[in-house]
Amino acid sequence: MAFDLPELPYGRDGLAPHISEDTLNFHHGKHHNAYVTNLNKLIEGTAHATASLEEIVKASAGDATQAGLFNNAAQVWNHTFYWHSMKPGGGGKPTGKIAELIDRDFGSYDVFATQFKAAGGGQFGSGWAWLVLKDGKLSITKTPNAETPLTEEGVTPLLTMDVWEHAYYLDYQNSRPNYMASFLDNLVNWDFANQNLADAS
Ligand SMILES: [Fe+2]
């Protein structure tokens, strides 16, 4: 089974001006697409050819002989999750269950926002910042390169923010902090986090 590049849940200009159409043309049309193409080449004619994306990510995680397969499969999964972590007109304070849990587990939205941006800013080089549900509590994590909490036992990813330079360089140049602030203020999709939370319970 060959994988297709998933459609964005909005137009390529849907996140402008915070993330430009140019960025999404490269990020979705070139980077994400390349991971899909590479993944399809790597699984063709192998036992993975009939597996789901999640199965491939989990089966190849932590296996140095499968690093290429893991990197491409995980990047396909991470990017699809990232596109849904944003929406046109998103951003700002959460609502619903996720708002309750953020207050319960971080004390306040502001504490959460500070810690989430610190995770993204503290990821040296390429990687991801995540809001996850771990053992019934919200937690913030960061992962390098293609690593993903999808492979961790008892952890449910709720939201992610791509902090690879390709996510923000055209719009924010070297300022990862400005990109992260805009992600939270203008883009983050709390409906998606609430849906993932509901699916996990
Ligand atoms: Fe990316």
Side-chain angles (χ1 to χ4, degrees):
M1 177 181 80
F3 293 100
D4 294 319
L5 176 67
E7 291 284 322
L8 289 175
Y10 30 76
R12 288 238 177 109
D13 59 354
L15 302 180
H18 313 294
I19 289 180
S20 64
E21 184 174 3
D22 259 2
T23 289
L24 290 184
N25 282 339
F26 281 101
H27 200 177
H28 178 250
K30 305 288 184 189
H31 291 280
H32 195 179
N33 192 53
Y35 296 128
V36 173
T37 303
N38 291 337
L39 173 62
N40 284 333
K41 280 186 199 152
L42 288 165
I43 63 172
E44 193 178 354
T46 75
H48 295 296
T50 54
S52 72
L53 183 59
E54 286 80 359
E55 286 168 342
I56 296 171
V57 171
K58 289 176 181 176
S60 58
D63 180 348
T65 68
Q66 303 265 43
L69 180 64
F70 172 78
N71 286 337
N72 285 285
Q75 284 294 76
V76 171
W77 192 89
N78 290 347
H79 279 90
T80 303
F81 199 78
Y82 170 62
W83 306 133
H84 288 272
S85 295
M86 302 180 288
K87 67 173 186 178
K93 292 198 172 175
T95 55
K97 185 77 177 168
I98 196 78
E100 274 174 44
L101 295 191
I102 282 175
D103 285 344
R104 186 194 71 184
D105 295 337
F106 296 102
S108 71
Y109 171 77
D110 289 342
V111 172
F112 157 79
T114 299
Q115 290 184 9
F116 189 72
K117 288 185 279 191
Q123 176 52 48
F124 184 76
S126 298
W128 303 83
W130 303 85
L131 176 63
V132 301
L133 186 68
K134 183 176 185 181
D135 303 325
K137 280 190 70 178
L138 297 187
S139 178
I140 291 167
T141 62
K142 62 183 195 287
T143 58
N145 302 315
E147 297 288 326
T148 174
L150 180 65
T151 61
E152 291 172 42
E153 209 54 49
V155 175
T156 303
L158 301 176
L159 274 180
T160 194
M161 176 172 67
D162 190 343
V163 296
W164 285 59
E165 276 190 348
H166 66 218
Y168 60 86
Y169 209 84
L170 293 179
D171 299 320
Y172 300 89
Q173 287 74 54
N174 59 320
S175 184
R176 190 184 291 185
N178 287 352
Y179 156 70
M180 296 192 299
S182 194
F183 177 93
L184 286 180
D185 294 345
N186 304 302
L187 296 168
V188 66
N189 182 359
W190 291 116
D191 300 336
F192 182 59
N194 273 316
Q195 186 60 53
N196 290 324
L197 206 49
D199 292 348
S201 60

